[in-house]
Amino acid sequence: MSKPDSTAKELLERPQREHPGVFSDGQLRTLQRRVRPWRATEARRLLLANLDGVGAVHRERTAIELAP
């Protein structure tokens, strides 16, 4: 996704413009329900990746400090 902070409504507007009459405004709520857990999963993944990186740096520093 090029704009991860886009709202579900903004995400729906693009296919509505590109394919008039195919995607209705009534599909917005469904898209909102799909986007919410996806964002939560992605946020969790990014947070854990960041925390893992912090742990790796800490382990490296500790190994260097303990080296003779």
Side-chain angles (χ1 to χ4, degrees):
M1 180 183 300
S2 61
K3 293 184 175 182
D5 59 335
S6 297
T7 66
K9 183 172 182 160
E10 292 168 342
L11 295 173
L12 180 60
E13 288 172 349
R14 181 177 175 190
Q16 283 181 325
R17 276 192 314 274
E18 293 176 2
H19 307 282
V22 177
F23 300 97
S24 71
D25 289 340
Q27 292 175 292
L28 176 59
R29 184 66 186 119
T30 299
L31 183 57
Q32 288 169 332
R33 285 192 298 265
R34 301 286 190 254
V35 167
R36 184 176 296 118
W38 175 82
R39 282 181 199 237
T41 300
E42 286 302 301
R44 199 173 301 115
R45 183 184 64 79
L46 290 171
L47 179 62
L48 292 175
N50 190 28
L51 290 176
D52 186 45
V54 169
V57 169
H58 178 69
R59 286 189 297 274
E60 255 181 58
R61 286 184 186 159
T62 303
I64 290 169
E65 291 167 3
L66 295 175

Short mmCIF file of all heavy atoms in Angstrom, two decimals:
data_model
loop_
_atom_site.label_atom_id
_atom_site.label_comp_id
_atom_site.label_asym_id
_atom_site.label_seq_id
_atom_site.Cartn_x
_atom_site.Cartn_y
_atom_site.Cartn_z
N MET A 1 0.86 -1.17 0.00
CA MET A 1 0.00 0.00 0.00
C MET A 1 0.90 1.22 0.00
O MET A 1 1.77 1.37 0.86
CB MET A 1 -0.90 -0.04 1.25
CG MET A 1 -1.84 1.13 1.33
SD MET A 1 -2.87 1.20 2.82
CE MET A 1 -3.79 -0.30 2.73
N SER A 2 0.70 2.11 -0.94
CA SER A 2 1.58 3.27 -1.05
C SER A 2 1.30 4.32 0.03
O SER A 2 2.18 5.08 0.39
CB SER A 2 1.46 3.90 -2.43
OG SER A 2 0.14 4.32 -2.66
N LYS A 3 0.08 4.37 0.54
CA LYS A 3 -0.27 5.31 1.61
C LYS A 3 -0.90 4.51 2.75
O LYS A 3 -2.11 4.35 2.81
CB LYS A 3 -1.25 6.35 1.10
CG LYS A 3 -0.69 7.30 0.09
CD LYS A 3 -1.74 8.34 -0.25
CE LYS A 3 -1.20 9.38 -1.19
NZ LYS A 3 -2.22 10.41 -1.45
N PRO A 4 -0.09 4.02 3.68
CA PRO A 4 -0.64 3.17 4.74
C PRO A 4 -1.60 3.88 5.68
O PRO A 4 -2.36 3.24 6.38
CB PRO A 4 0.60 2.68 5.50
CG PRO A 4 1.68 3.60 5.11
CD PRO A 4 1.35 4.17 3.78
N ASP A 5 -1.60 5.21 5.66
CA ASP A 5 -2.52 5.94 6.53
C ASP A 5 -3.84 6.29 5.84
O ASP A 5 -4.67 6.99 6.41
CB ASP A 5 -1.85 7.21 7.06
CG ASP A 5 -1.41 8.15 5.95
OD1 ASP A 5 -1.18 7.67 4.83
OD2 ASP A 5 -1.28 9.36 6.20
N SER A 6 -4.05 5.78 4.64
CA SER A 6 -5.30 6.03 3.92
C SER A 6 -6.48 5.41 4.65
O SER A 6 -6.37 4.34 5.24
CB SER A 6 -5.25 5.42 2.52
OG SER A 6 -4.24 6.02 1.76
N THR A 7 -7.60 6.10 4.61
CA THR A 7 -8.82 5.55 5.21
C THR A 7 -9.44 4.55 4.25
O THR A 7 -9.14 4.53 3.05
CB THR A 7 -9.83 6.66 5.50
OG1 THR A 7 -10.28 7.23 4.26
CG2 THR A 7 -9.24 7.75 6.40
N ALA A 8 -10.34 3.74 4.78
CA ALA A 8 -11.04 2.77 3.93
C ALA A 8 -11.83 3.50 2.85
O ALA A 8 -11.90 3.05 1.71
CB ALA A 8 -11.96 1.90 4.78
N LYS A 9 -12.39 4.64 3.19
CA LYS A 9 -13.15 5.41 2.21
C LYS A 9 -12.25 5.86 1.06
O LYS A 9 -12.62 5.78 -0.11
CB LYS A 9 -13.81 6.62 2.86
CG LYS A 9 -14.67 7.41 1.92
CD LYS A 9 -15.46 8.48 2.61
CE LYS A 9 -16.32 9.18 1.58
NZ LYS A 9 -17.43 9.87 2.16
N GLU A 10 -11.05 6.33 1.41
CA GLU A 10 -10.10 6.74 0.37
C GLU A 10 -9.68 5.54 -0.48
O GLU A 10 -9.51 5.67 -1.70
CB GLU A 10 -8.87 7.38 1.01
CG GLU A 10 -9.15 8.71 1.66
CD GLU A 10 -8.02 9.21 2.54
OE1 GLU A 10 -7.13 8.42 2.92
OE2 GLU A 10 -8.04 10.41 2.85
N LEU A 11 -9.53 4.39 0.15
CA LEU A 11 -9.17 3.18 -0.61
C LEU A 11 -10.27 2.76 -1.56
O LEU A 11 -10.00 2.24 -2.65
CB LEU A 11 -8.84 2.04 0.34
CG LEU A 11 -7.60 2.23 1.23
CD1 LEU A 11 -7.50 1.10 2.23
CD2 LEU A 11 -6.35 2.31 0.38
N LEU A 12 -11.51 2.97 -1.17
CA LEU A 12 -12.64 2.60 -2.02
C LEU A 12 -12.82 3.57 -3.18
O LEU A 12 -13.26 3.16 -4.27
CB LEU A 12 -13.93 2.54 -1.19
CG LEU A 12 -15.21 2.16 -1.92
CD1 LEU A 12 -15.08 0.76 -2.53
CD2 LEU A 12 -16.40 2.22 -0.98
N GLU A 13 -12.45 4.82 -2.99
CA GLU A 13 -12.67 5.83 -4.03
C GLU A 13 -11.89 5.53 -5.31
O GLU A 13 -12.39 5.79 -6.41
CB GLU A 13 -12.32 7.22 -3.50
CG GLU A 13 -13.33 7.72 -2.50
CD GLU A 13 -12.92 9.01 -1.80
OE1 GLU A 13 -11.73 9.42 -1.93
OE2 GLU A 13 -13.77 9.60 -1.12
N ARG A 14 -10.71 4.98 -5.20
CA ARG A 14 -9.90 4.71 -6.40
C ARG A 14 -10.57 3.70 -7.33
O ARG A 14 -10.76 3.98 -8.52
CB ARG A 14 -8.51 4.25 -6.00
CG ARG A 14 -7.63 3.97 -7.20
CD ARG A 14 -6.24 3.60 -6.79
NE ARG A 14 -5.46 3.22 -7.95
CZ ARG A 14 -4.28 2.68 -7.89
NH1 ARG A 14 -3.73 2.45 -6.72
NH2 ARG A 14 -3.64 2.36 -8.98
N PRO A 15 -10.94 2.50 -6.84
CA PRO A 15 -11.61 1.58 -7.77
C PRO A 15 -12.96 2.11 -8.25
O PRO A 15 -13.39 1.79 -9.36
CB PRO A 15 -11.76 0.28 -6.97
CG PRO A 15 -11.48 0.62 -5.56
CD PRO A 15 -10.68 1.88 -5.55
N GLN A 16 -13.62 2.93 -7.43
CA GLN A 16 -14.88 3.52 -7.88
C GLN A 16 -14.63 4.45 -9.07
O GLN A 16 -15.44 4.50 -10.01
CB GLN A 16 -15.56 4.29 -6.74
CG GLN A 16 -16.24 3.39 -5.75
CD GLN A 16 -16.93 4.15 -4.63
OE1 GLN A 16 -16.44 5.20 -4.18
NE2 GLN A 16 -18.05 3.63 -4.19
N ARG A 17 -13.54 5.21 -9.04
CA ARG A 17 -13.21 6.10 -10.16
C ARG A 17 -12.81 5.30 -11.39
O ARG A 17 -13.19 5.61 -12.51
CB ARG A 17 -12.05 7.03 -9.77
CG ARG A 17 -12.42 8.26 -9.03
CD ARG A 17 -11.27 9.27 -8.95
NE ARG A 17 -9.98 8.68 -8.59
CZ ARG A 17 -9.55 8.48 -7.35
NH1 ARG A 17 -10.31 8.82 -6.33
NH2 ARG A 17 -8.35 7.96 -7.12
N GLU A 18 -11.99 4.25 -11.17
CA GLU A 18 -11.46 3.48 -12.29
C GLU A 18 -12.50 2.55 -12.92
O GLU A 18 -12.38 2.20 -14.09
CB GLU A 18 -10.24 2.68 -11.84
CG GLU A 18 -9.06 3.56 -11.48
CD GLU A 18 -7.87 2.78 -10.94
OE1 GLU A 18 -7.93 1.54 -10.87
OE2 GLU A 18 -6.87 3.44 -10.57
N HIS A 19 -13.48 2.13 -12.13
CA HIS A 19 -14.51 1.20 -12.62
C HIS A 19 -15.89 1.70 -12.17
O HIS A 19 -16.51 1.13 -11.28
CB HIS A 19 -14.26 -0.20 -12.05
CG HIS A 19 -12.88 -0.70 -12.31
ND1 HIS A 19 -12.48 -1.20 -13.53
CD2 HIS A 19 -11.78 -0.76 -11.51
CE1 HIS A 19 -11.21 -1.55 -13.46
NE2 HIS A 19 -10.76 -1.29 -12.25
N PRO A 20 -16.38 2.76 -12.80
CA PRO A 20 -17.67 3.33 -12.40
C PRO A 20 -18.80 2.30 -12.44
O PRO A 20 -18.89 1.49 -13.35
CB PRO A 20 -17.92 4.43 -13.44
CG PRO A 20 -16.59 4.70 -14.07
CD PRO A 20 -15.80 3.44 -13.94
N GLY A 21 -19.59 2.31 -11.38
CA GLY A 21 -20.75 1.43 -11.31
C GLY A 21 -20.46 0.03 -10.78
O GLY A 21 -21.38 -0.75 -10.56
N VAL A 22 -19.20 -0.32 -10.58
CA VAL A 22 -18.85 -1.66 -10.11
C VAL A 22 -18.81 -1.73 -8.59
O VAL A 22 -19.30 -2.68 -7.99
CB VAL A 22 -17.49 -2.12 -10.71
CG1 VAL A 22 -17.09 -3.48 -10.15
CG2 VAL A 22 -17.57 -2.15 -12.23
N PHE A 23 -18.23 -0.72 -7.96
CA PHE A 23 -18.08 -0.69 -6.51
C PHE A 23 -19.00 0.37 -5.92
O PHE A 23 -18.87 1.55 -6.22
CB PHE A 23 -16.63 -0.41 -6.11
CG PHE A 23 -15.67 -1.43 -6.63
CD1 PHE A 23 -14.96 -1.22 -7.80
CD2 PHE A 23 -15.48 -2.63 -5.94
CE1 PHE A 23 -14.08 -2.16 -8.28
CE2 PHE A 23 -14.61 -3.58 -6.42
CZ PHE A 23 -13.91 -3.36 -7.60
N SER A 24 -19.93 -0.07 -5.08
CA SER A 24 -20.91 0.86 -4.52
C SER A 24 -20.46 1.40 -3.17
O SER A 24 -19.59 0.82 -2.50
CB SER A 24 -22.26 0.16 -4.35
OG SER A 24 -22.18 -0.77 -3.30
N ASP A 25 -21.06 2.50 -2.76
CA ASP A 25 -20.77 3.07 -1.44
C ASP A 25 -21.15 2.09 -0.33
O ASP A 25 -20.58 2.14 0.75
CB ASP A 25 -21.53 4.39 -1.24
CG ASP A 25 -20.97 5.51 -2.12
OD1 ASP A 25 -19.81 5.39 -2.56
OD2 ASP A 25 -21.69 6.50 -2.33
N GLY A 26 -22.07 1.20 -0.63
CA GLY A 26 -22.51 0.20 0.35
C GLY A 26 -21.41 -0.79 0.72
O GLY A 26 -21.52 -1.48 1.72
N GLN A 27 -20.36 -0.84 -0.07
CA GLN A 27 -19.25 -1.76 0.23
C GLN A 27 -18.23 -1.15 1.19
O GLN A 27 -17.30 -1.83 1.63
CB GLN A 27 -18.57 -2.17 -1.08
CG GLN A 27 -19.47 -3.05 -1.93
CD GLN A 27 -18.84 -3.36 -3.26
OE1 GLN A 27 -18.69 -2.47 -4.09
NE2 GLN A 27 -18.47 -4.61 -3.45
N LEU A 28 -18.42 0.11 1.54
CA LEU A 28 -17.48 0.78 2.43
C LEU A 28 -17.36 0.08 3.78
O LEU A 28 -16.27 -0.17 4.27
CB LEU A 28 -17.87 2.25 2.63
CG LEU A 28 -17.00 3.03 3.62
CD1 LEU A 28 -15.54 3.04 3.18
CD2 LEU A 28 -17.53 4.45 3.78
N ARG A 29 -18.48 -0.26 4.39
CA ARG A 29 -18.44 -0.88 5.71
C ARG A 29 -17.70 -2.21 5.68
O ARG A 29 -16.92 -2.52 6.58
CB ARG A 29 -19.88 -1.06 6.25
CG ARG A 29 -19.92 -1.61 7.65
CD ARG A 29 -19.35 -0.61 8.65
NE ARG A 29 -19.28 -1.22 9.96
CZ ARG A 29 -18.15 -1.41 10.65
NH1 ARG A 29 -17.01 -0.98 10.18
NH2 ARG A 29 -18.16 -2.00 11.82
N THR A 30 -17.89 -2.98 4.62
CA THR A 30 -17.18 -4.25 4.47
C THR A 30 -15.67 -4.01 4.38
O THR A 30 -14.88 -4.69 5.03
CB THR A 30 -17.66 -5.01 3.23
OG1 THR A 30 -19.06 -5.28 3.37
CG2 THR A 30 -16.90 -6.31 3.03
N LEU A 31 -15.29 -3.02 3.60
CA LEU A 31 -13.88 -2.69 3.47
C LEU A 31 -13.31 -2.22 4.80
O LEU A 31 -12.20 -2.61 5.18
CB LEU A 31 -13.68 -1.62 2.40
CG LEU A 31 -12.23 -1.24 2.10
CD1 LEU A 31 -11.41 -2.46 1.69
CD2 LEU A 31 -12.18 -0.17 1.03
N GLN A 32 -14.06 -1.44 5.55
CA GLN A 32 -13.60 -0.98 6.86
C GLN A 32 -13.35 -2.17 7.79
O GLN A 32 -12.37 -2.19 8.53
CB GLN A 32 -14.64 -0.04 7.50
CG GLN A 32 -14.70 1.31 6.82
CD GLN A 32 -15.89 2.12 7.28
OE1 GLN A 32 -16.93 1.58 7.67
NE2 GLN A 32 -15.76 3.44 7.22
N ARG A 33 -14.25 -3.15 7.74
CA ARG A 33 -14.07 -4.33 8.58
C ARG A 33 -12.85 -5.15 8.17
O ARG A 33 -12.25 -5.82 8.99
CB ARG A 33 -15.33 -5.20 8.54
CG ARG A 33 -16.47 -4.63 9.35
CD ARG A 33 -17.59 -5.65 9.53
NE ARG A 33 -18.19 -6.06 8.28
CZ ARG A 33 -19.29 -5.53 7.75
NH1 ARG A 33 -19.93 -4.57 8.36
NH2 ARG A 33 -19.76 -5.98 6.61
N ARG A 34 -12.49 -5.11 6.91
CA ARG A 34 -11.32 -5.86 6.43
C ARG A 34 -10.02 -5.10 6.72
O ARG A 34 -8.99 -5.70 7.01
CB ARG A 34 -11.41 -6.11 4.92
CG ARG A 34 -12.63 -6.89 4.49
CD ARG A 34 -12.50 -8.35 4.84
NE ARG A 34 -13.55 -9.12 4.24
CZ ARG A 34 -14.58 -9.61 4.91
NH1 ARG A 34 -14.70 -9.39 6.19
NH2 ARG A 34 -15.51 -10.31 4.30
N VAL A 35 -10.06 -3.79 6.60
CA VAL A 35 -8.86 -2.97 6.79
C VAL A 35 -8.43 -2.96 8.25
O VAL A 35 -7.23 -3.02 8.55
CB VAL A 35 -9.09 -1.53 6.27
CG1 VAL A 35 -8.00 -0.59 6.73
CG2 VAL A 35 -9.19 -1.54 4.75
N ARG A 36 -9.37 -2.91 9.17
CA ARG A 36 -9.04 -2.82 10.60
C ARG A 36 -8.13 -3.96 11.08
O ARG A 36 -7.05 -3.70 11.62
CB ARG A 36 -10.30 -2.74 11.45
CG ARG A 36 -10.01 -2.53 12.94
CD ARG A 36 -11.26 -2.36 13.76
NE ARG A 36 -11.95 -1.14 13.36
CZ ARG A 36 -13.19 -1.12 12.85
NH1 ARG A 36 -13.88 -2.22 12.69
NH2 ARG A 36 -13.75 0.02 12.50
N PRO A 37 -8.48 -5.23 10.87
CA PRO A 37 -7.58 -6.30 11.33
C PRO A 37 -6.26 -6.34 10.55
O PRO A 37 -5.22 -6.69 11.09
CB PRO A 37 -8.38 -7.58 11.16
CG PRO A 37 -9.53 -7.24 10.29
CD PRO A 37 -9.74 -5.77 10.37
N TRP A 38 -6.31 -5.97 9.26
CA TRP A 38 -5.09 -5.94 8.47
C TRP A 38 -4.10 -4.93 9.07
O TRP A 38 -2.92 -5.23 9.23
CB TRP A 38 -5.40 -5.60 7.02
CG TRP A 38 -4.16 -5.45 6.20
CD1 TRP A 38 -3.43 -6.45 5.63
CD2 TRP A 38 -3.48 -4.23 5.89
NE1 TRP A 38 -2.34 -5.92 4.98
CE2 TRP A 38 -2.35 -4.56 5.12
CE3 TRP A 38 -3.73 -2.89 6.18
CZ2 TRP A 38 -1.47 -3.59 4.65
CZ3 TRP A 38 -2.84 -1.94 5.71
CH2 TRP A 38 -1.72 -2.29 4.96
N ARG A 39 -4.60 -3.75 9.42
CA ARG A 39 -3.73 -2.73 10.02
C ARG A 39 -3.18 -3.20 11.35
O ARG A 39 -2.01 -2.96 11.67
CB ARG A 39 -4.49 -1.43 10.22
CG ARG A 39 -4.64 -0.66 8.97
CD ARG A 39 -5.38 0.64 9.24
NE ARG A 39 -5.88 1.11 7.99
CZ ARG A 39 -5.61 2.29 7.48
NH1 ARG A 39 -4.90 3.13 8.14
NH2 ARG A 39 -6.08 2.64 6.32
N ALA A 40 -4.01 -3.84 12.16
CA ALA A 40 -3.55 -4.33 13.46
C ALA A 40 -2.44 -5.36 13.27
O ALA A 40 -1.43 -5.34 13.98
CB ALA A 40 -4.72 -4.93 14.24
N THR A 41 -2.61 -6.25 12.31
CA THR A 41 -1.60 -7.27 12.03
C THR A 41 -0.30 -6.63 11.55
O THR A 41 0.79 -6.99 12.00
CB THR A 41 -2.11 -8.26 10.96
OG1 THR A 41 -3.29 -8.89 11.46
CG2 THR A 41 -1.08 -9.31 10.61
N GLU A 42 -0.41 -5.67 10.65
CA GLU A 42 0.78 -5.00 10.13
C GLU A 42 1.49 -4.20 11.22
O GLU A 42 2.72 -4.20 11.30
CB GLU A 42 0.42 -4.08 8.95
CG GLU A 42 0.11 -4.85 7.69
CD GLU A 42 1.26 -5.73 7.25
OE1 GLU A 42 2.37 -5.20 6.99
OE2 GLU A 42 1.08 -6.94 7.17
N ALA A 43 0.73 -3.53 12.07
CA ALA A 43 1.33 -2.76 13.16
C ALA A 43 2.08 -3.68 14.11
O ALA A 43 3.20 -3.39 14.53
CB ALA A 43 0.25 -1.97 13.91
N ARG A 44 1.48 -4.81 14.43
CA ARG A 44 2.11 -5.79 15.31
C ARG A 44 3.40 -6.32 14.67
O ARG A 44 4.44 -6.43 15.31
CB ARG A 44 1.14 -6.94 15.57
CG ARG A 44 1.45 -7.77 16.77
CD ARG A 44 0.35 -8.79 17.08
NE ARG A 44 -0.93 -8.15 17.33
CZ ARG A 44 -2.02 -8.30 16.56
NH1 ARG A 44 -2.01 -9.06 15.52
NH2 ARG A 44 -3.15 -7.67 16.86
N ARG A 45 3.34 -6.62 13.38
CA ARG A 45 4.50 -7.13 12.66
C ARG A 45 5.63 -6.10 12.67
O ARG A 45 6.79 -6.43 12.95
CB ARG A 45 4.13 -7.47 11.22
CG ARG A 45 5.26 -8.08 10.41
CD ARG A 45 4.87 -8.30 8.96
NE ARG A 45 4.60 -7.06 8.26
CZ ARG A 45 5.55 -6.24 7.77
NH1 ARG A 45 6.82 -6.54 7.93
NH2 ARG A 45 5.23 -5.14 7.13
N LEU A 46 5.32 -4.85 12.41
CA LEU A 46 6.34 -3.81 12.40
C LEU A 46 6.92 -3.59 13.80
O LEU A 46 8.13 -3.41 13.95
CB LEU A 46 5.75 -2.50 11.87
CG LEU A 46 5.41 -2.49 10.39
CD1 LEU A 46 4.63 -1.22 10.04
CD2 LEU A 46 6.66 -2.60 9.55
N LEU A 47 6.08 -3.61 14.80
CA LEU A 47 6.54 -3.43 16.17
C LEU A 47 7.47 -4.55 16.58
O LEU A 47 8.55 -4.32 17.14
CB LEU A 47 5.35 -3.34 17.13
CG LEU A 47 5.68 -3.15 18.59
CD1 LEU A 47 6.42 -1.84 18.81
CD2 LEU A 47 4.42 -3.19 19.43
N LEU A 48 7.08 -5.78 16.30
CA LEU A 48 7.91 -6.92 16.67
C LEU A 48 9.23 -6.93 15.90
O LEU A 48 10.27 -7.26 16.45
CB LEU A 48 7.15 -8.23 16.46
CG LEU A 48 5.98 -8.44 17.42
CD1 LEU A 48 5.22 -9.71 17.05
CD2 LEU A 48 6.43 -8.48 18.86
N ALA A 49 9.18 -6.54 14.64
CA ALA A 49 10.42 -6.46 13.85
C ALA A 49 11.34 -5.41 14.44
O ALA A 49 12.55 -5.62 14.54
CB ALA A 49 10.09 -6.13 12.40
N ASN A 50 10.78 -4.30 14.86
CA ASN A 50 11.57 -3.23 15.46
C ASN A 50 12.15 -3.70 16.79
O ASN A 50 13.32 -3.47 17.07
CB ASN A 50 10.71 -1.98 15.65
CG ASN A 50 11.53 -0.78 16.04
OD1 ASN A 50 12.70 -0.68 15.70
ND2 ASN A 50 10.93 0.13 16.76
N LEU A 51 11.36 -4.36 17.61
CA LEU A 51 11.83 -4.84 18.89
C LEU A 51 12.92 -5.90 18.71
O LEU A 51 13.89 -5.93 19.46
CB LEU A 51 10.69 -5.41 19.72
CG LEU A 51 9.69 -4.39 20.26
CD1 LEU A 51 8.55 -5.10 20.97
CD2 LEU A 51 10.36 -3.39 21.17
N ASP A 52 12.77 -6.75 17.71
CA ASP A 52 13.78 -7.77 17.44
C ASP A 52 15.09 -7.11 17.03
O ASP A 52 16.16 -7.51 17.46
CB ASP A 52 13.30 -8.74 16.35
CG ASP A 52 14.28 -9.88 16.17
OD1 ASP A 52 14.72 -10.44 17.19
OD2 ASP A 52 14.61 -10.19 15.02
N GLY A 53 15.00 -6.05 16.24
CA GLY A 53 16.19 -5.31 15.85
C GLY A 53 16.88 -4.69 17.04
O GLY A 53 18.11 -4.70 17.15
N VAL A 54 16.11 -4.16 17.98
CA VAL A 54 16.67 -3.58 19.19
C VAL A 54 17.37 -4.65 20.01
O VAL A 54 18.46 -4.44 20.53
CB VAL A 54 15.57 -2.88 20.03
CG1 VAL A 54 16.08 -2.49 21.40
CG2 VAL A 54 15.04 -1.66 19.29
N GLY A 55 16.76 -5.82 20.12
CA GLY A 55 17.37 -6.93 20.86
C GLY A 55 18.68 -7.37 20.24
O GLY A 55 19.64 -7.67 20.92
N ALA A 56 18.73 -7.40 18.91
CA ALA A 56 19.95 -7.81 18.21
C ALA A 56 21.07 -6.82 18.48
O ALA A 56 22.21 -7.20 18.72
CB ALA A 56 19.69 -7.93 16.72
N VAL A 57 20.76 -5.53 18.47
CA VAL A 57 21.76 -4.51 18.75
C VAL A 57 22.26 -4.66 20.18
O VAL A 57 23.46 -4.58 20.44
CB VAL A 57 21.19 -3.09 18.51
CG1 VAL A 57 22.12 -2.02 19.05
CG2 VAL A 57 20.93 -2.88 17.03
N HIS A 58 21.36 -4.90 21.11
CA HIS A 58 21.74 -5.06 22.51
C HIS A 58 22.66 -6.28 22.68
O HIS A 58 23.66 -6.21 23.38
CB HIS A 58 20.50 -5.21 23.39
CG HIS A 58 20.81 -5.44 24.83
ND1 HIS A 58 21.37 -4.45 25.62
CD2 HIS A 58 20.68 -6.53 25.62
CE1 HIS A 58 21.56 -4.93 26.83
NE2 HIS A 58 21.15 -6.19 26.87
N ARG A 59 22.32 -7.39 22.02
CA ARG A 59 23.15 -8.59 22.12
C ARG A 59 24.54 -8.33 21.54
O ARG A 59 25.55 -8.77 22.08
CB ARG A 59 22.48 -9.77 21.41
CG ARG A 59 21.29 -10.34 22.17
CD ARG A 59 20.79 -11.63 21.55
NE ARG A 59 20.30 -11.47 20.19
CZ ARG A 59 19.06 -11.11 19.88
NH1 ARG A 59 18.18 -10.86 20.83
NH2 ARG A 59 18.69 -11.00 18.63
N GLU A 60 24.62 -7.58 20.44
CA GLU A 60 25.90 -7.25 19.83
C GLU A 60 26.75 -6.42 20.78
O GLU A 60 27.93 -6.69 20.99
CB GLU A 60 25.68 -6.44 18.54
CG GLU A 60 25.91 -7.23 17.29
CD GLU A 60 25.70 -6.36 16.07
OE1 GLU A 60 26.38 -5.33 15.93
OE2 GLU A 60 24.83 -6.73 15.27
N ARG A 61 26.16 -5.41 21.38
CA ARG A 61 26.89 -4.54 22.31
C ARG A 61 27.39 -5.34 23.50
O ARG A 61 28.51 -5.15 23.94
CB ARG A 61 25.99 -3.39 22.78
CG ARG A 61 25.78 -2.34 21.74
CD ARG A 61 24.98 -1.21 22.31
NE ARG A 61 24.67 -0.25 21.26
CZ ARG A 61 23.69 0.60 21.33
NH1 ARG A 61 22.90 0.65 22.38
NH2 ARG A 61 23.46 1.45 20.34
N THR A 62 26.56 -6.21 24.02
CA THR A 62 26.95 -7.02 25.17
C THR A 62 28.13 -7.93 24.81
O THR A 62 29.07 -8.05 25.57
CB THR A 62 25.76 -7.86 25.67
OG1 THR A 62 24.69 -6.98 25.98
CG2 THR A 62 26.12 -8.66 26.89
N ALA A 63 28.08 -8.53 23.64
CA ALA A 63 29.17 -9.41 23.20
C ALA A 63 30.47 -8.63 23.05
O ALA A 63 31.54 -9.10 23.44
CB ALA A 63 28.80 -10.07 21.87
N ILE A 64 30.38 -7.41 22.53
CA ILE A 64 31.59 -6.59 22.37
C ILE A 64 32.15 -6.20 23.74
O ILE A 64 33.36 -6.26 23.97
CB ILE A 64 31.26 -5.32 21.53
CG1 ILE A 64 30.99 -5.73 20.09
CG2 ILE A 64 32.40 -4.31 21.60
CD1 ILE A 64 30.41 -4.64 19.23
N GLU A 65 31.27 -5.84 24.67
CA GLU A 65 31.71 -5.43 26.00
C GLU A 65 32.35 -6.59 26.76
O GLU A 65 33.26 -6.39 27.55
CB GLU A 65 30.53 -4.88 26.80
CG GLU A 65 30.02 -3.55 26.25
CD GLU A 65 28.67 -3.16 26.83
OE1 GLU A 65 28.13 -3.87 27.70
OE2 GLU A 65 28.16 -2.11 26.42
N LEU A 66 31.88 -7.81 26.51
CA LEU A 66 32.40 -8.97 27.22
C LEU A 66 33.66 -9.55 26.58
O LEU A 66 34.36 -10.35 27.17
CB LEU A 66 31.34 -10.06 27.31
CG LEU A 66 30.11 -9.72 28.15
CD1 LEU A 66 29.08 -10.83 28.06
CD2 LEU A 66 30.49 -9.46 29.61
N ALA A 67 33.95 -9.13 25.35
CA ALA A 67 35.12 -9.66 24.63
C ALA A 67 36.40 -9.21 25.33
O ALA A 67 36.50 -8.09 25.80
CB ALA A 67 35.10 -9.19 23.19
N PRO A 68 37.41 -10.11 25.40
CA PRO A 68 38.68 -9.76 26.06
C PRO A 68 39.49 -8.76 25.28
O PRO A 68 39.42 -8.53 24.17
CB PRO A 68 39.42 -11.09 26.19
CG PRO A 68 38.72 -12.06 25.29
CD PRO A 68 37.39 -11.47 24.97
#
